[in-house]
Amino acid sequence: MDYLEIKGGDKLSGEIRVSGAKNAALPILAATILAKNPARITNLPNVADIKTFLKLLNLLGGESQFDAENHTAIVDTRDLKFTTATYEIVKTMRASILALGPLLARFGECRVSLPGGCAIGQRPVDLHLKALEKMGAEIVISEGYIYAKAPTGGLKGATIVFDKITVTGSENIIMAAALARGETRIINAAKEPEVEQICEILKAAGVKIKGAGESEIVVQGTAGELVDFAAIDVISDRIETGTYLCAAAIANSPLTLTCAAPRHLTAVTDKLAEMGFGFDFTRDSISIKPAAEIRAANVVTSEYPGFPTDMQAQLMALATQANGASVIEERLFENRFMHVSELTRMGAKIALRGNTATVTGGGLIGADVMATDLRASSALVLAALAARGTSRVHRIYHLDRGYENLETKLRSIGAKIERKKEK
Ligand code: UD1
């Protein structure tokens, strides 16, 4: 197992190129199940979760070539013949649930291992299942698997009102609806840019969709006919961008992020501006400038376009460097504060009460800390950049799931960070 060793306290400067968004690429890979032609995907991030999804497609009988260096893949699902996403795959990546909608829509039945809870909460998939039932599917849960069967003639369009906004739930139903019979109306859909992109891709493939990026989406299904994918370019990773903005901010240093999508990050850049940082934007770059004083700020996570839960841990790391107390409220997941105890080991002053953390700024001291989930891991790396002395962040396989070359990118802007092997 690898760990990261980080010597903190240095100023950073330079430029980082942002990778493609993992959370956009995963539903895109799932959507290739609906394709009648091999799909060409560019700007695919070279991270573990993407390789896991490609492996899943291969296990289902697909073929893919991933030129990781050039971030390009050709995914051919024409000969797909198996319809089971096994426990072995799903346990390593919850997002495998994204195969459920497309497999069911194409084959009329499938079996997907039920994802368990995870480090950040229970994370049920009941809303995905209820929506598919509304489209006529019969769902049985047995021996840890979801067995789904479409009615004769395939899934049928329906009006679906999500009780809660769900990102992968919306994506699953959009993909299922693309091949269903008739019209599906999704109300209270997620508005995340990743959901919008899956709509745009299906539109370009010939599916009639209204409301991409809005809370009400209407999909006219093709009644089982597979779709013809145009070339796909994955959008820029807004969470990776936000993480590096926080890296610059925690070191109170300037940094430019290229291949970014500033319009997807308004909630984050506004919050950093409130804390005292300056910004220059172009259409596809963001430059952050140091603050005269890092001010405390309060944050409440919410669905897009609100402040992303996937940036909560990184913002908390930054709040340890602010003057005064910041109140951070997590509204999406019930247990997304696993990083608090690790940050506390580095000397952070954090009082936790239910889903609210109050962070009082002060110095951090290097320590051995343990990564618990993907975004919590990056927060520990950020904290280590600001800490006095050396930190070691263990269990970084969480980081490798979603950050491409994190240590190389940070080293290129002056951070002292090295990947080492546990003895
Ligand atoms: C996606 C992102 C993840 C991000 C999250 C919230 C991917 C691959 N992952 O996860 O990085 O943190 O959105 O922005 O895109 N819920 C239910 N029942 C369901 C589905 C969800 O109760 O059937 C609840 C969840 O437990 C959670 C909330 O709804 O409290 C939002 O979760 P959801 O948007 O579904 O998260 P994911 O799509 O799993």
Side-chain angles (χ1 to χ4, degrees):
M1 244 198 287
D2 294 350
Y3 67 94
L4 288 174
E5 188 170 274
I6 299 154
K7 290 198 178 69
D10 287 318
K11 289 283 173 202
L12 308 174
S13 76
E15 203 175 282
I16 289 179
R17 184 188 189 283
V18 179
S19 297
K22 165 184 88 74
N23 284 357
L26 291 170
I28 289 170
L29 291 176
T32 65
I33 295 174
L34 307 172
K36 65 167 129 190
N37 60 325
R40 184 168 194 277
I41 307 167
T42 50
N43 204 29
L44 200 58
N46 181 16
V47 296
D49 272 9
I50 297 304
K51 291 178 203 152
T52 306
F53 214 105
L54 289 170
K55 187 170 158 201
L56 168 61
L57 292 173
N58 290 351
L59 287 170
L60 295 172
E63 263 183 46
S64 55
Q65 288 132 31
F66 182 23
D67 176 352
E69 216 169 291
N70 291 309
H71 302 104
T72 300
I74 310 281
V75 183
D76 186 350
T77 61
R78 284 175 300 181
D79 292 335
L80 225 62
K81 46 187 169 296
F82 305 109
T83 54
T84 298
T86 61
Y87 175 66
E88 280 62 42
I89 287 277
V90 179
K91 76 171 186 220
T92 59
M93 189 185 58
R94 296 181 49 83
S96 312
I97 191 69
L98 285 166
L100 177 65
L103 280 177
L104 182 59
R106 174 163 163 188
F107 295 102
E109 58 186 319
C110 66
R111 219 162 62 103
V112 175
S113 172
L114 202 56
C118 74
I120 64 175
Q122 281 190 15
R123 303 186 77 178
V125 290
D126 57 313
L127 302 174
H128 303 227
L129 303 184
K130 253 168 66 184
L132 290 172
E133 279 176 338
K134 199 97 198 277
M135 297 175 79
E138 213 181 286
I139 308 266
V140 176
I141 309 249
S142 171
E143 296 173 333
Y145 275 82
I146 303 161
Y147 291 79
K149 197 168 182 335
T152 316
L155 292 171
K156 45 187 191 354
T159 295
I160 289 153
V161 184
F162 278 119
D163 292 342
K164 253 190 194 176
I165 297 178
T166 159
V167 175
T168 49
S170 301
E171 291 161 348
N172 236 336
I173 301 312
I174 291 162
M175 292 187 284
L179 254 58
R181 286 174 286 145
E183 178 179 289
T184 301
R185 187 175 288 270
I186 307 169
I187 296 164
N188 206 22
K191 293 185 283 195
E192 269 68 1
E194 297 78 20
V195 181
E196 184 178 0
Q197 181 165 43
I198 205 69
C199 290
E200 294 302 340
I201 285 166
L202 288 168
K203 273 162 74 175
V207 184
K208 291 200 182 73
I209 300 183
K210 270 201 237 139
E214 293 169 24
S215 62
E216 185 168 334
I217 299 174
V218 182
V219 183
Q220 306 290 341
T222 65
E225 200 188 316
L226 296 178
V227 298
D228 208 340
F229 275 76
I232 296 166
D233 192 47
V234 179
I235 57 171
S236 159
D237 195 319
R238 63 195 168 98
I239 306 301
E240 190 197 18
T241 309
T243 302
Y244 290 124
L245 287 176
C246 284
I250 208 164
N252 207 10
S253 300
L255 179 68
T256 295
L257 291 155
T258 60
C259 299
R263 67 187 187 286
H264 294 159
L265 273 137
T266 312
V268 174
T269 50
D270 276 6
K271 191 52 66 183
L272 293 175
E274 192 185 319
M275 295 176 85
F277 299 94
F279 286 96
D280 284 325
F281 300 102
T282 68
R283 199 181 56 81
D284 60 0
S285 77
I286 305 179
S287 298
I288 181 169
K289 294 179 277 192
E293 177 206 355
I294 305 181
R295 294 190 288 267
N298 299 337
V299 179
V300 180
T301 64
S302 79
E303 295 86 1
Y304 189 84
F307 191 91
T309 172
D310 284 353
M311 281 300 303
Q312 178 255 105
Q314 301 89 313
L315 207 282
M316 188 181 295
L318 174 59
T320 67
Q321 302 305 297
N323 281 331
S326 304
V327 179
I328 300 176
E329 193 182 336
E330 172 58 54
R331 288 257 179 97
L332 265 72
F333 292 107
E334 68 268 27
N335 187 27
R336 204 168 196 179
F337 279 138
M338 303 277 280
H339 42 285
V340 168
S341 48
E342 299 303 301
L343 290 171
T344 307
R345 301 192 68 248
M346 300 175 78
K349 295 186 196 73
I350 306 174
L352 204 52
R353 207 155 162 247
N355 62 347
T356 303
T358 305
V359 186
T360 307
L364 296 177
I365 301 165
D368 281 86
V369 287
M370 198 85 91
T372 48
D373 72 65
L374 173 58
R375 306 304 170 185
S377 320
S378 64
L380 298 178
V381 172
L382 300 189
L385 292 175
R388 206 155 20 92
T390 300
S391 299
R392 280 165 296 272
V393 182
H394 302 274
R395 296 207 183 153
I396 53 163
Y397 53 84
H398 291 293
L399 266 181
D400 294 334
R401 283 189 36 222
Y403 286 95
E404 178 170 353
N405 298 331
L406 175 110
E407 71 271 18
T408 321
K409 289 189 180 186
L410 283 176
R411 242 193 333 263
S412 77
I413 57 167
K416 295 205 175 64
I417 176 166
E418 266 187 75
R419 181 179 286 256
K420 296 196 164 174
K421 292 245 172 275
E422 304 274 5
K423 292 220 172 71

